[in-house]
Amino acid sequence: MALHRQAISFNVMDSDREAKDIATKRAQLQREQGLRTQKHITLDEIGRRIAIGNFQELNIIVKGDVDGSVEALSDSLIKLSTPEIELNIFTRLLVRFQNQMFF
């Protein structure tokens, strides 16, 4: 029985800092590539899919800075659910906004 050995190559850096910088850049590139592959859907696309009957459920994440408003919005959205389209509220998050505007 023959054993196959896989060669492993290593890059030697002059310092820890250089190695950490390269690892950080590689991790950032990998993260960006992962974000590019995620498909985001627009409201226009949702409307189009609903019109042709190609949409059975809509999963929503609600974020807000006040617990009462998040609850009220989540409850109102769930009431909009119909037999054709089921609305699911997966997570209700409270986010502390600090003088920042989010669009």
Side-chain angles (χ1 to χ4, degrees), residues 11-76:
N11 295 326
V12 179
M13 302 296 146
D14 293 332
S15 68
D16 288 353
R17 185 78 219 142
E18 185 180 0
K20 287 179 184 178
D21 288 343
I22 291 171
T24 301
K25 287 178 186 176
R26 286 181 181 172
Q28 179 66 25
L29 283 172
Q30 189 175 23
R31 182 180 171 276
E32 288 174 2
Q33 288 173 348
L35 290 175
R36 287 186 196 134
T37 60
Q38 290 179 349
K39 175 133 170 71
H40 297 282
I41 189 167
T42 64
L43 288 175
D44 290 334
E45 179 66 16
I46 292 171
R48 187 185 69 75
R49 288 185 185 182
I50 289 171
I52 62 174
N54 191 16
F55 213 80
Q56 288 80 31
E57 67 179 3
L58 180 61
N59 300 321
I60 300 174
I61 297 174
V62 177
K63 294 182 182 182
D65 63 344
V66 179
D67 190 30
S69 63
V70 171
E71 276 299 317
L73 181 59
S74 297
D75 292 343
S76 295

